[in-house]
Amino acid sequence: TVTNASGSRSLTKSNWITVTACPEPVANFSATKDTLCEHDCINFFDLTVNGPTKWQWFFPGADVPSGEDTMQNPINICYNTPGCYPVTLISENALGPTFADTIVMPCYIVVFPIPTLTVSPNITIIETTSTPLFAVGNAFYYTWIQPADSSLSCDSCSDPIATPTHTQWYVVTAHGENGCPVKDSIKVTVVKTFDIFVPTAFTPNGDPYNGSLKVRSNGIKEMYFAVYSRWGEKLFETNDLSEGWDGTYNGKAMSTGIYSWYIKATMWDAKQIVQSGNTALIR
């Protein structure tokens, strides 16, 4: 209807207006699993309906630098600390952020601790003898991988006896109350006899060969090793089998000559050995 000073006139016309349904998104998701052990990683899967085009995830407590992710299906989301963690997903479609949908799942991820585990140190034994092994911690139970020679007295106890016929690694798994595992291993070296050897000469001349005076042994548990000059002055001492004398004293290279050494050792079979001798330093 249009009106001016001269009056009014009307026109009536009909037309169709088409209204298309524009459904809002409904956010939803799932995960590879929702019960984890420390340091486990999982993948998440978007299940949002009604054409999502943008996603924003929040993973409090996870190993994600910003705590969030914008991929449709985030992968390798890792949890390193025991606890109960929520997950949030905000999904958006072509309608824009005003109509985005949010789903918050409190305590969706439950992370259980792995048990503590301490095992026997590596050990050397004489052939045909046995040695006890141990695995201690707060585990619910233990399992050992039984070697082919069946040299363990049991494979489900914490303290089996090992009687290997050759050098062997023993692997134990500690299982927490919630099933979370942790592994460790012990090496048992088998030798025919225990012995000690100190070279009769060494050449500390800078090349990679025979440059230090070291005790060589296949069975020392504890030791004291010392080197003396011809006048009885102590030049070097150590309790570490991997350390050797480099032919110097107070930073000064010692001259070519004969030097004395002394060793007192306790072997793995509890035998006490005391030896002494002479070694030539050659430059």
Side-chain angles (χ1 to χ4, degrees):
T1 301
V2 180
T3 303
N4 63 14
S6 301
S8 298
R9 294 195 67 176
S10 297
L11 173 67
T12 299
K13 186 176 181 179
S14 297
N15 204 347
W16 292 102
I17 296 175
T18 302
V19 179
T20 301
C22 299
E24 299 176 9
V26 179
N28 197 8
F29 65 86
S30 66
T32 309
K33 55 184 177 179
D34 53 20
T35 302
L36 317 178
C37 298
E38 282 180 85
H39 312 300
D40 277 356
C41 301
I42 57 173
N43 301 332
F44 286 84
F45 306 98
D46 169 49
L47 300 178
T48 302
V49 296
N50 298 332
T53 56
K54 292 183 179 180
W55 305 265
Q56 190 170 17
W57 299 80
F58 295 91
F59 303 110
D63 186 17
V64 180
S66 63
E68 61 181 276
D69 197 300
T70 56
M71 294 179 62
Q72 181 178 8
N73 300 304
I75 62 174
N76 290 327
I77 305 300
C78 305
Y79 291 84
N80 297 322
T81 306
C84 183
Y85 300 101
V87 176
T88 298
L89 171 61
I90 302 174
S91 296
E92 177 184 330
N93 64 10
L95 294 177
T98 302
F99 298 96
D101 188 39
T102 300
I103 181 172
V104 180
M105 299 290 283
C107 198
Y108 182 76
I109 301 296
V110 179
V111 183
F112 293 111
I114 59 176
T116 60
L117 177 61
T118 302
V119 301
S120 314
N122 295 337
I123 190 171
T124 301
I125 64 172
I126 295 177
E127 191 177 35
T128 73
T129 63
S130 300
T131 183
L133 306 179
F134 67 78
V136 295
N138 60 356
F140 196 59
Y141 66 96
Y142 302 89
T143 55
W144 297 79
I145 296 178
Q146 182 70 261
D149 59 7
S150 301
S151 57
L152 280 179
S153 61
C154 67
D155 53 18
S156 60
C157 56
S158 62
D159 53 351
I161 302 297
T163 312
T165 57
H166 58 278
T167 298
Q168 184 75 260
W169 281 97
Y170 294 92
V171 180
V172 59
T173 302
H175 304 264
E177 187 173 0
N178 296 292
C180 293
V182 61
K183 291 184 179 181
D184 207 341
S185 59
I186 306 161
K187 183 180 182 181
V188 178
T189 301
V190 178
V191 297
K192 292 185 180 299
T193 59
F194 287 141
D195 57 14
I196 291 176
F197 171 72
V198 180
T200 56
F202 72 112
T203 56
N205 53 15
D207 66 26
Y209 307 105
N210 199 29
S212 64
L213 182 64
K214 287 184 178 181
V215 178
R216 296 182 173 92
S217 174
N218 61 6
I220 287 180
K221 181 180 181 181
E222 298 175 349
M223 75 159 195
Y224 171 78
F225 177 61
V227 180
Y228 300 86
S229 70
R230 69 185 68 181
W231 299 283
E233 182 180 15
K234 186 189 297 180
L235 306 177
F236 172 79
E237 64 180 349
T238 184
N239 296 108
D240 188 344
L241 188 63
S242 66
E243 290 183 352
W245 182 45
D246 62 0
T248 65
Y249 179 59
N250 289 335
K252 180 182 177 181
M254 303 302 291
S255 59
T256 295
I258 302 299
Y259 295 85
S260 301
W261 53 264
Y262 167 86
I263 183 171
K264 181 178 181 180
T266 301
M267 312 305 284
W268 282 108
D269 59 359
K271 183 180 179 180
Q272 302 288 323
I273 294 179
V274 177
Q275 290 183 5
S276 60
N278 297 318
T279 295
L281 187 159
I282 302 173
R283 293 193 183 279

